[in-house]
Amino acid sequence: VDLVLCGHPLYWCSLFETFVSPLMHKAMIAVYDQPPFFLVPSEAEESFAETLRSWALPDIGNVVIVGFAPFFARQFEWLLGSRIPHSRPIALIVKDAWQPLISDSVLLATSIDHIAIGLILRFAELNAHMLFAPEGHSLRFVRWNEDLGYETSKAVLAQHRCVVLLPYDFAHFKLPEFVAMGMPIFMHAQLWKWTVRWSQLIARPGGRNATRLRPAPQACYGDAQPD
């Protein structure tokens, strides 16, 4: 083994500290997709923070910490004082393309957010008399998992008129996959829900410094001046 991929939680990567020591000539990519002290015992927070800072040093050539999204790169800089790169998920292997053969069907992507899905279905039920396509026929919502089955192929999913994505779906690559298929997408208007994994901000596992009142990195504001 020459390269280790680890993360979720980031604390798992501490298992490979010996593996990436200079004498081993091995490398590691650590995926940062939750607050840094997620699932870290409280008594180990300080030492793990120092480990993360050492991994983020520019002269460390065999360890890279990568933010799952831009938000996490900023969060790491805010909490630990070092900049890290972030990933840009791209669905390169998707070969199917949108063909709306089932033009009366709106696809609801599978999600653990059952409350949000229930609200959408209830809205559709109460407003069925208003849900019409421009062509004049009525529209119906179809649930990916419950109505079609989780193993439904992308070729079949791409036959629906459009897809509704919930914030949690971002973490499972559904967003880049549907973008790659060219499918019309309806998604939450609040951008922050798409920049954090699992669509939630978890303050407590961020550690004691998560809510410390201090200026954010100047780069966050560009040329803006504080009030």
Side-chain angles (χ1 to χ4, degrees):
V1 177
D2 298 312
L3 174 65
V4 169
L5 305 178
C6 58
H8 193 64
L10 195 61
Y11 193 46
W12 285 117
C13 299
S14 62
L15 296 173
F16 305 103
E17 284 188 77
T18 303
F19 182 85
V20 296
S21 63
L23 296 177
M24 295 294 290
H25 303 289
K26 307 293 184 179
M28 179 174 72
I29 299 176
V31 180
Y32 178 73
D33 67 344
Q34 290 282 10
F37 305 126
F38 179 60
L39 298 184
V40 177
S42 58
E43 64 273 13
E45 286 184 359
E46 294 297 335
S47 61
F48 186 57
E50 290 304 315
T51 297
L52 292 178
R53 290 190 182 97
S54 68
W55 288 344
L57 291 174
D59 58 344
I60 302 297
N62 64 328
V63 177
V64 178
I65 303 176
V66 180
F68 186 80
F71 172 84
F72 293 102
R74 287 300 191 191
Q75 185 187 68
F76 192 95
E77 181 181 3
W78 164 261
L79 293 174
L80 299 168
S82 298
R83 292 189 175 187
I84 60 173
H86 63 266
S87 63
R88 292 286 189 183
I90 301 175
L92 294 177
I93 63 172
V94 175
K95 305 302 180 184
D96 299 295
W98 178 54
Q99 298 185 46
L101 302 177
I102 315 175
S103 60
D104 67 334
S105 178
V106 176
L107 178 65
L108 279 177
T110 180
S111 175
I112 64 169
D113 197 343
H114 301 295
I115 294 178
I117 290 179
L119 288 172
I120 293 173
L121 294 175
R122 181 60 173 161
F123 176 86
E125 178 184 351
L126 295 177
N127 296 276
H129 61 287
M130 301 172 57
L131 295 178
F132 288 92
E135 299 85 354
H137 56 262
S138 60
L139 296 174
R140 59 190 177 93
F141 284 91
V142 175
R143 298 167 297 175
W144 177 349
N145 189 33
E146 293 83 355
D147 299 325
L148 302 178
Y150 188 75
E151 300 296 327
T152 301
S153 67
K154 291 181 177 63
V156 173
L157 298 177
Q159 295 178 11
H160 295 265
R161 186 181 191 94
C162 58
V163 61
V164 176
L165 294 181
L166 299 176
Y168 182 81
D169 300 322
F170 166 79
H172 287 172
F173 282 79
K174 295 188 185 72
L175 177 58
E177 287 179 339
F178 281 113
V179 169
M181 290 190 289
M183 196 164 180
I185 300 171
F186 290 88
M187 51 193 280
H188 205 288
Q190 294 184 6
L191 178 62
W192 71 267
K193 285 181 173 289
W194 299 92
T195 54
V196 296
R197 195 170 193 188
W198 318 132
S199 73
Q200 300 181 48
L201 294 175
I202 308 173
R204 185 186 59 79
R208 293 186 295 276
N209 294 334
T211 56
R212 179 179 293 174
L213 296 178
R214 58 190 175 97
Q218 187 61 34
C220 292
Y221 299 104
D223 297 328
Q225 299 295 323
D227 294 334

